Amino acid sequence: MSSESRIRCAALRERVMSAEAAAELIPAGINVGMSGFTGAGYPKAVPGALAERIRKLNAAGEPPFRISIWTGASTAPELDGVLAEVDGIEMRLPFQSDPICRDRINTGKMDYVDIHLSEVSQYAWSGFLGKMDLAVIEVAGIREDGSLIPSSSVGNNKTWIEQADKIILEVNSKQNAKLEGMHDVYYGTALPPNRKPIMITDPSDRIGEPYLACPMEKVIAVVETSAADRNTPFKAPDETSRKIAEHILNFFHREIELGRLPKELLPIQSGVGNIPNAVLEGLDAGPFKNLTAFTEVIQDGMLKMLKSGTLATASATAFSLSPEGIAEFDNNIDLYRDKIILRQQDISNHPELARRLGVIAMNGLIEADIYGNINSTHVMGTRMMNGIGGSGDFARNGYLSIFVSPSTAKDGAISAIVPMVSHVDHTEHDVKIVVTEQGLADLRGLSPRQRAHEIINNCAHPDFRPALMDYYERALHSGRGMHTPHLLEEALSWHVRYETQGQM
């Protein structure tokens, strides 16, 4: 299908212009909502054109040109990277993974608001974030009536279109035309006290519309593009990832034998990365059939499971595929289009639905402490890595919250298990299972002191296990409170030691 035929609305065809011309319509100092979630469905042309415009203004000595950018989640170098590089971002939310953005955030040159992904639209609708002036949204096409065919992510696009005064559309002919019909955009959300139950009782349920409604009078520009999403190659699972996956799979089998999980498990939510893909690979190689997923992103491993029949349905808000995964999806989209549903992120990550469906949540961590508190976002307590993303949406509300990580980092210089985490994203109350390649700690129903023994003995690397147990025993017998024993003068000494000596 040609790029021209993707714009089927005559009135909006008249607003087609270049990315450079569209970028001229964006003034400094405004709040801009942009599409994009985990490198899928983000605008590919206008951000780069805007960055080039800012670069020229900077070179001419003009006053700083900066905007605040709100997205669904992470985007790509063509958006976050190019705008951060020219110092064009005043504030960023709710999630990012770009190295240039990260540097700007951690050197104090960019403000960053790290928000649970399910709450972003509520923040916007409630006015907590201020006024949204303009939105730049990638779509796969525009229908005759002006409604929009969503792209490879839905994210916060519904909210941005509703909230923004003006809209720039990028129509990307590189996106598969057969994406049309795969989306489920729900228009029944509301603010308190007018909320109603969200009537999803199975990940396969559809409750919305396949298209985004967009008032044509808001659209000030339409830009035609033909560019692929950011695609990140996933490495084949290494030995550490396989061991972590093996511990999780053995745990699932035990839970089934004990009658605490059905043989089809419960809907799976999986974070992005090589360890989650190793778990998915293990599930696909096992005896499981007709599993379901209620998650944020569709990864390569889920495509394989859908194709094999291990996974019957996958509900998400975006894709996050490798180049091979994108080719597989495009080549077999007729198989996948009836098995995949893409929703807006305030539904894909909704706490009500995670609780009702009983999601099994699997997410990564930077560090865990001996009592089960989790740091997912901050390196050494002060430096932002990416953000909390959707992990909190699912960890607190799912049936099982599983956090995974190798037991060490930096060639063994850092222990992922520490006496006290340097930053808390998920408290011990939201953490049920911790897994490293060393083993699995089941924390359900345990007191803090029992959790400490479980985590140290099962998850800590042998090189750090004696020191962790020594810390715990001395804290236990220090004469201080014994419910959650700590030596406050030493609790963060492991981090201080790494910062000053390069070794925990």
Side-chain angles (χ1 to χ4, degrees):
M1 185 179 287
S2 69
S3 175
E4 183 179 355
S5 66
R6 295 289 183 99
I7 307 172
R8 305 200 295 257
C9 175
L12 292 182
R13 274 201 301 270
E14 296 178 358
R15 299 174 206 179
V16 171
M17 64 182 71
S18 68
E20 291 74 20
E24 290 289 338
L25 302 176
I26 302 175
I30 66 170
N31 295 323
V32 180
M34 295 201 185
S35 60
F37 197 107
T38 58
Y42 58 91
K44 313 291 193 299
V46 173
L50 179 60
E52 184 57 30
R53 178 185 165 204
I54 295 172
R55 191 187 311 277
K56 291 177 181 177
L57 292 171
N58 291 343
E62 296 290 332
F65 186 115
R66 309 184 85 196
I67 60 174
S68 294
I69 295 178
W70 314 350
T71 63
S74 58
T75 62
E78 301 99 306
L79 195 164
D80 276 326
V82 294
L83 286 169
E85 187 176 27
V86 296
D87 199 26
I89 305 176
E90 178 72 30
M91 187 274 287
R92 182 73 173 83
L93 67 83
F95 185 88
Q96 60 76 43
S97 62
D98 184 81
I100 304 175
C101 266
R102 187 181 302 124
D103 177 72
R104 294 290 195 274
I105 292 164
N106 288 323
T107 54
K109 298 174 182 175
M110 181 192 301
D111 284 326
Y112 179 50
V113 183
D114 182 21
I115 307 175
H116 294 299
L117 296 186
S118 70
E119 295 187 338
V120 181
S121 64
Q122 176 177 270
Y123 270 53
W125 274 107
S126 299
F128 302 153
L129 305 174
K131 176 182 172 54
M132 174 170 284
D133 302 285
L134 186 144
V136 185
I137 308 293
E138 178 183 279
V139 296
I142 304 175
R143 301 173 76 230
E144 289 83 357
D145 62 359
S147 60
L148 310 176
I149 303 168
S151 183
S152 51
S153 70
V154 183
N156 283 315
N157 295 351
K158 168 186 171 290
T159 299
W160 295 168
I161 290 169
E162 291 170 330
Q163 289 280 302
D165 290 337
K166 299 176 181 179
I167 297 168
I168 296 172
L169 298 175
E170 286 197 9
V171 182
N172 188 352
S173 61
K174 191 75 172 178
Q175 299 288 5
N176 198 311
K178 290 187 176 181
L179 282 170
E180 184 172 0
M182 293 181 68
H183 308 85
D184 189 59
V185 183
Y186 179 57
Y187 281 91
T189 55
L191 290 175
N194 300 310
R195 284 181 173 155
K196 306 293 186 212
I198 298 169
M199 300 309 293
I200 291 176
T201 59
D202 186 273
S204 64
D205 289 344
R206 287 180 174 270
I207 58 170
E209 307 293 332
Y211 306 108
L212 288 161
C214 180
M216 279 192 278
E217 63 272 16
K218 286 189 176 186
V219 179
I220 60 172
V222 178
V223 177
E224 296 176 309
T225 68
S226 182
D229 282 334
R230 180 195 82 195
N231 42 59
T232 304
F234 286 120
K235 301 174 184 176
D238 58 16
E239 186 61 23
T240 297
S241 298
R242 289 187 186 280
K243 284 182 178 178
I244 292 172
E246 183 179 345
H247 295 314
I248 294 173
L249 294 168
N250 288 339
F251 169 76
F252 287 160
H253 286 296
R254 287 195 302 272
E255 291 295 292
I256 292 169
E257 290 174 3
L258 292 168
R260 296 193 290 218
L261 283 176
K263 66 181 189 308
E264 300 86 7
L265 301 178
L266 290 166
I268 296 166
Q269 178 268 325
S270 176
V272 178
N274 293 319
I275 294 174
N277 266 300
V279 176
L280 298 177
E281 184 180 278
L283 287 170
D284 199 34
F288 302 101
K289 290 294 178 186
N290 296 317
L291 306 185
T292 60
F294 192 81
T295 189
E296 299 170 303
V297 295
I298 306 294
Q299 303 179 69
D300 287 31
M302 286 189 180
L303 291 186
K304 294 176 183 177
M305 294 170 72
L306 287 165
K307 195 171 189 179
S308 70
T310 301
L311 194 63
T313 302
S315 168
T317 193
F319 291 98
S320 182
L321 301 173
S322 70
E324 296 78 15
I326 291 173
E328 165 63 26
F329 176 74
D330 284 339
N331 292 336
N332 295 285
I333 192 168
D334 289 329
L335 168 70
Y336 295 119
R337 58 181 286 109
D338 295 327
K339 300 174 183 289
I340 293 173
I341 302 172
L342 295 182
R343 314 178 192 272
Q344 71 252 42
Q345 71 191 64
D346 53 321
I347 299 298
S348 70
N349 289 46
H350 202 292
E352 173 191 336
L353 301 177
R355 179 64 60 89
R356 177 183 300 138
L357 298 175
V359 166
I360 298 173
M362 295 181 285
N363 291 286
L365 59 84
I366 289 176
E367 60 183 4
D369 68 27
I370 59 176
Y371 298 112
N373 298 291
I374 301 292
N375 171 13
S376 297
T377 60
H378 284 68
V379 176
M380 295 294 145
T382 62
R383 295 187 290 278
M384 172 58 68
M385 179 57 73
N386 297 328
I388 196 168
S391 58
D393 299 324
F394 294 101
R396 171 159 289 187
N397 301 290
Y399 180 73
L400 285 173
S401 56
I402 303 173
F403 285 92
V404 302
S405 173
S407 63
T408 62
K410 296 292 183 182
D411 297 321
I414 293 176
S415 173
I417 310 299
V418 293
M420 178 185 281
V421 289
S422 57
H423 174 89
V424 181
D425 292 297
H426 310 280
T427 74
E428 61 190 87
H429 309 290
D430 301 330
V431 180
K432 296 180 175 68
I433 311 290
V434 176
V435 193
T436 71
E437 81 284 358
Q438 300 298 321
L440 180 146
D442 184 350
L443 308 180
R444 295 173 296 177
L446 301 185
S447 69
R449 286 180 292 168
Q450 291 170 324
R451 288 199 297 268
H453 282 278
E454 188 79 4
I455 291 172
I456 294 171
N457 291 327
N458 291 319
C459 297
H461 192 278
D463 289 350
F464 293 99
R465 197 173 294 153
L468 287 166
M469 189 56 75
D470 174 70
Y471 171 89
Y472 170 75
E473 291 291 345
R474 288 187 295 111
L476 183 65
H477 297 99
S478 66
R480 299 172 180 173
M482 292 179 62
H483 177 64
T484 307
H486 266 303
L487 300 172
L488 295 183
E489 66 276 15
E490 290 186 34
L492 296 176
S493 64
W494 289 41
H495 301 85
V496 174
R497 193 156 54 244
Y498 177 76
E499 294 271 72
T500 57
Q501 302 175 23
Q503 175 77 41
M504 279 188 170

